Amino acid sequence: MSETTQPIVAVRALTKRFKQYPSPALRLLEWMSAGWLRYHTLFTALDDISFEVKKGEFFGIVGPNGSGKSTLLKILTGVLMPTGGSFTIDGRVTSLLELGTGFNPDLSGRQNIVNSGRLLGFDEAQTRDRMTGIIDFAELGDQIDLPIKYYSTGMVVRLAFSLFAHIEPDVFIVDEALSVGDVGFSRKCFKRLDAMRESGCTLIFVSHDLAAVRKYCDRVMFLQRGKCAYLGSANTATDVYLESMSPGARARDLSPQTTESEQGAREHEQYDQLRPLLPMEVAGLFDECSFVGILGAIDGRIGTGEARLLAVQVLDDAGKHRDHFSIGQTAHIHILARGQSAAAAATVSVQLVNRLGVVAWGNNHHRMTGRTIAFEAGHFVHATFSVRLDLGPDHYTLDVSLGDASGEGHVFDRLTAVRTLAVEAAGNMDFEGLARLTVRSQVSTLEPPADDSAPGVDPQFRSRAGVA
């Protein structure tokens, strides 16, 4: 098997169960009975988890507290032993799990770098060769020679991440630690992760920062109650996670993705059945192409089923289908859905997501207008969003959903990346960044005081500035 396909991390049917006792006394009594008495119950923290991570891949893990994320990472780093299953990791592994783990609080930061380097298999000379870079990255300055018991939590994070990021691991495991540092250092850490990715390092990243997960991870596993609820693209995995966390959510199980030919045949058949039922108001607006990729979509589709998305059409001001726009032009996004059962208060949502997985813009009808919509089973829902694309040049994917607006927050039907919009610069760019915001600027020049003796005025400066 080639290097590009050979997994560097392979997990097979991994299971972890913990014994739980009503009290310490009963734990002791069971132990003294040599197994004749049993007072414990079993808690399954991980249940039949399997996945692979290839060399150079950034693999994310998301899930609510108690879903088994930290337990999984502790098994992969050898802190815990699994109850069942197996795993293999090919290469040097470093992990940033619990803050300060392995650090001696009475030793200085510099001494802890040397000691931790020994634990990771480096001799003192190798560690000292990297010492300057580690200290500079951690931005600890003279405090590097203070005992770390005087460090703040953020300082410990900076020291730990800097150490582990500079020893060139094959697999780097990070559990939520980057969220503890300040914004500037977090940004610096992610730049370092980019450099590690380019060098071929593999990252397993656990975080509740879904924007970071979307931006940096190639694939993501969503853990729920110790089981793998979804494994796939970062955008879909985080969407499934968010849906599962909404009040009243009943996200459907996701089926394996079908082949393109099977999906195309199913969509064509569904379109032929649906076309005679379309209301006159929308029959000419949504052509067959607008139904492609939606009617037969299974992978990544989430929702409770009260309604189903049918078609998405993107038009320009002239009413023509378009997927390339210049900055400042308006895209008219038309969405067609059909009720499967009655809903009293619903809303339609749209998001534009850039190539890094960052939501550049998003909104819904209820938030914009303060009004909800109601429909009966069999009724069609037609929504239009006219969006002025004051966005930076990029390729954006379109996420659409129809969901509850009564306060429960669950989604009836949601699809990610149903269409792609390219926003291009027309002529010279008149802004920088992700979006062009409406800004007023004012700049004025002021003459200095005429009196040379005015405080704070340098005569030489006035002379250079041409002021008499």
Side-chain angles (χ1 to χ4, degrees):
M1 189 176 295
S2 67
E3 184 180 82
T4 57
T5 58
Q6 177 69 39
I8 194 170
V9 179
V11 176
R12 300 283 183 269
L14 206 63
T15 299
K16 179 62 178 179
R17 296 187 178 92
F18 294 96
K19 291 182 178 180
Q20 294 181 321
Y21 293 88
S23 67
L26 291 178
R27 177 195 293 266
L28 178 62
L29 189 59
E30 179 179 303
W31 178 77
M32 293 179 64
S33 72
W36 287 98
L37 298 176
R38 177 172 175 170
Y39 295 105
H40 72 266
T41 57
L42 290 176
F43 168 71
T44 302
L46 293 173
D47 187 5
D48 194 27
I49 302 296
S50 298
F51 64 91
E52 292 182 349
V53 183
K54 295 181 175 60
K55 179 178 176 59
E57 184 178 12
F58 275 30
F59 186 85
I61 303 174
V62 298
N65 293 330
S67 60
K69 305 186 300 298
S70 295
T71 299
L72 174 59
L73 296 192
K74 287 178 180 178
I75 291 175
L76 295 181
T77 54
V79 177
L80 294 176
M81 295 298 294
T83 305
S86 63
F87 71 94
T88 58
I89 300 179
D90 183 14
R92 184 195 301 273
V93 182
T94 61
S95 60
L96 190 57
L97 302 181
E98 297 177 0
L99 301 179
T101 300
F103 286 165
N104 186 330
D106 295 318
L107 297 181
S108 69
R110 190 186 303 273
Q111 292 168 323
N112 271 290
I113 290 174
V114 174
N115 285 356
S116 296
R118 291 195 187 103
L119 293 175
L120 294 169
F122 291 92
D123 59 37
E124 186 170 339
Q126 290 176 303
T127 304
R128 293 194 181 280
D129 286 341
R130 295 170 169 82
M131 184 72 73
T132 301
I134 294 172
I135 295 174
D136 289 345
F137 189 93
E139 301 175 356
L140 292 177
D142 295 338
Q143 294 170 318
I144 193 66
D145 293 310
L146 290 177
I148 66 168
K149 62 184 177 182
Y150 300 122
Y151 284 14
S152 67
T153 301
M155 293 168 67
V156 175
V157 172
R158 295 207 301 269
L159 179 62
F161 182 89
S162 182
L163 169 63
F164 294 147
H166 280 79
I167 61 174
E168 301 173 357
D170 297 305
V171 181
F172 190 23
I173 299 176
V174 181
D175 183 8
E176 206 57 71
L178 300 186
S179 63
V180 180
D182 56 52
V183 174
F185 185 75
S186 292
R187 187 177 302 168
K188 187 176 179 179
C189 290
F190 283 120
K191 287 184 178 179
R192 179 66 183 178
L193 291 180
D194 286 335
M196 294 172 71
R197 184 205 293 265
E198 292 178 1
S199 68
C201 177
T202 302
L203 177 74
I204 298 179
F205 180 48
V206 170
S207 179
H208 289 291
D209 184 352
L210 299 188
V213 172
R214 282 176 177 242
K215 180 176 181 179
Y216 287 96
C217 295
D218 303 301
R219 290 187 304 134
V220 173
M221 179 171 64
F222 165 39
L223 283 178
Q224 190 172 40
R225 301 186 188 93
K227 295 184 178 181
C228 177
Y230 181 81
L231 174 58
S233 71
N235 285 353
T236 302
T238 51
D239 282 337
V240 174
Y241 171 40
L242 288 173
E243 165 63 11
S244 73
M245 296 298 291
S246 65
R250 307 186 311 265
R252 291 179 173 176
D253 294 332
L254 299 177
S255 304
Q257 186 175 15
T258 58
T259 64
E260 291 184 6
S261 59
E262 290 173 341
Q263 180 170 323
R266 183 171 61 249
E267 286 185 333
H268 183 75
E269 180 180 351
Q270 292 183 24
Y271 176 70
D272 285 343
Q273 297 172 355
L274 187 63
R275 182 171 51 185
L277 304 177
L278 294 177
M280 294 181 56
E281 295 86 347
V282 297
L285 179 61
F286 293 95
D287 57 12
E288 185 172 3
C289 292
S290 64
F291 291 83
V292 172
I294 297 179
L295 279 178
I298 292 178
D299 184 61
R301 187 167 213 149
I302 61 174
T304 58
E306 282 92 332
R308 188 169 181 83
L309 296 166
L310 302 178
V312 174
Q313 182 77 285
V314 181
L315 305 176
D316 60 15
D317 287 332
K320 296 182 179 180
H321 170 74
R322 194 167 179 180
D323 54 14
H324 284 70
F325 293 83
S326 297
I327 297 172
Q329 291 184 328
T330 299
H332 302 276
I333 303 167
H334 295 267
I335 301 166
L336 183 66
R338 193 181 190 192
Q340 305 296 306
S341 60
T347 189
V348 182
S349 304
V350 174
Q351 284 185 341
L352 288 172
V353 183
N354 69 10
R355 285 181 294 179
L356 297 177
V358 177
V359 177
W361 171 86
N363 218 329
N364 66 64
H365 178 72
H366 179 229
R367 182 186 296 147
M368 294 168 61
T369 66
R371 298 191 299 270
T372 62
I373 54 177
F375 54 81
E376 300 292 333
H379 285 191
F380 290 88
V381 176
H382 173 216
T384 303
F385 291 81
S386 295
V387 185
R388 181 181 168 94
L389 298 173
D390 283 327
L391 299 173
D394 205 342
H395 285 78
Y396 298 87
T397 55
L398 185 65
D399 300 350
V400 296
S401 66
L402 177 62
D404 172 77
S406 64
E408 289 193 354
H410 58 268
V411 177
F412 302 154
D413 194 17
R414 176 181 174 86
L415 278 170
T416 59
V418 294
R419 294 289 182 267
T420 299
L421 301 182
V423 178
E424 302 166 340
N428 294 328
M429 283 280 291
D430 59 356
F431 71 99
E432 296 179 357
L434 296 177
R436 178 167 60 188
L437 304 180
T438 301
V439 180
R440 290 183 178 180
S441 64
Q442 180 176 338
V443 180
S444 60
T445 60
L446 304 175
E447 293 187 8
D451 185 3
D452 288 351
S453 62
V457 178
D458 183 358
Q460 293 183 356
F461 175 78
R462 284 199 302 276
S463 175
R464 291 195 303 271
V467 179

